[in-house]
Amino acid sequence: DIVMTQSPGSLAVSLGERATISCKSSQSVLHSSNNKNYLAWYQLKPGQPPKLLIYWASTRDSGVPDRFSGSGSGTDFSLTISSLQAEDVAVYYCQQYYSTLWTFGQGTKVEIK
Amino acid sequence: QVQLQESGPGLVKPSETLSLTCAVSGYSISSGYYWGWIRLPPGKGLEWIGSIYHSGSASYNPALKSRVTISVDTSKNQFSLNLRSVTAADTALYYCARVAGMGVLGYWGQGTLVTVSS
């Protein structure tokens, strides 16, 4: 299984400041056939359907604000919220879909400082 | 707008079968895509349970494969999860989702909490 490790487990950031979440995979999720990283990011809020933010490690899904960005390649990835808004309080998960067994990180809780 | 809604009992007894249904609106399951189940146990991370294509071809998490069956009913535009011989470790928030190609979960339901307890 590909193990996904996120850090930190929780993060408190002031409104308008930058928040960065790290996600490391136990093996590379970069596919040599198409040079794509099979890595996605999701936002979970209580009582709401989870929301896809980023796929292919850096492609924003339709309608996702551009303050959300994904970067990285191979085994090291990050999700950055460039200017934290109150509505961004949530738990964020990374997911690899490189292997047939899709696995997720343990989640990072983002709060307002 | 694609919408998914999970339904089923919120309480299941140990050793019994957990059964959930995901009703899809805004898209016909028979038109394509894979459809999946994911769960979030309390205090833990997300876990993929399995996925099914509209044709009925399914794949499962090996850790759960011996206890899981996912089926699809295109006439009702819904798909279902059966998890047999449940224990307290199966207590979780269960989500259904549409798989947007290659394993990206594009649309999700709100989730339904299932507690395993006598």
Side-chain angles (χ1 to χ4, degrees):
Chain A
D1 302 359
I2 298 179
V3 177
M4 307 301 289
T5 303
Q6 283 182 237
S7 62
S10 63
L11 184 59
V13 176
S14 301
L15 287 171
E17 295 300 306
R18 178 185 300 262
T20 301
I21 301 167
S22 171
C23 174
K24 296 183 186 296
S25 57
S26 61
Q27 65 186 74
S28 177
V29 299
L30 174 63
H31 210 293
S32 57
S33 66
N34 57 11
N35 204 37
K36 287 182 180 290
N37 288 283
Y38 285 50
L39 190 286
W41 289 94
Y42 302 90
Q43 177 191 65
L44 271 67
K45 296 181 180 180
Q48 296 185 22
K51 182 179 181 180
L52 170 66
L53 297 175
I54 304 281
Y55 57 96
W56 299 132
S58 60
T59 302
R60 264 190 305 275
D61 195 29
S62 175
V64 174
D66 60 7
R67 63 180 180 273
F68 290 93
S69 63
S71 63
S73 184
T75 61
D76 293 321
F77 301 90
S78 61
L79 174 71
T80 298
I81 308 172
S82 61
S83 176
L84 190 74
Q85 305 300 303
E87 61 265 33
D88 301 333
V89 169
V91 181
Y92 294 83
Y93 289 88
C94 61
Q95 176 225 351
Q96 65 78 21
Y97 46 101
Y98 180 90
S99 73
T100 56
L101 172 56
W102 307 333
T103 52
F104 297 84
Q106 287 300 101
T108 295
K109 186 174 185 179
V110 174
E111 301 172 304
I112 305 295
K113 184 188 290 183
Chain B
Q1 172 98 8
V2 180
Q3 292 186 312
L4 297 91
Q5 180 66 59
E6 307 88 349
S7 63
L11 181 64
V12 181
K13 289 183 168 55
S15 80
E16 295 190 344
T17 296
L18 180 161
S19 296
L20 297 175
T21 295
C22 181
V24 179
S25 58
Y27 187 85
S28 173
I29 285 180
S30 58
S31 294
Y33 286 103
Y34 277 84
W35 304 85
W37 289 96
I38 305 95
R39 68 182 183 179
L40 181 63
K44 297 188 178 182
L46 291 164
E47 180 180 36
W48 171 68
I49 300 170
S51 305
I52 191 165
Y53 196 51
H54 67 88
S55 62
S57 172
S59 58
Y60 302 115
N61 185 326
L64 300 169
K65 188 175 183 177
S66 64
R67 299 193 291 128
V68 174
T69 301
I70 296 176
S71 58
V72 62
D73 187 339
T74 54
S75 67
K76 294 182 179 179
N77 214 38
Q78 63 186 35
F79 59 104
S80 299
L81 168 70
N82 276 355
L83 180 63
R84 297 174 290 278
S85 304
V86 297
T87 69
D90 295 308
T91 293
L93 187 55
Y94 284 78
Y95 295 100
C96 59
R98 189 178 85 170
V99 185
M102 306 305 298
V104 176
L105 304 163
Y107 291 95
W108 298 63
Q110 278 196 297
T112 187
L113 179 63
V114 179
T115 301
V116 178
S117 175
S118 56

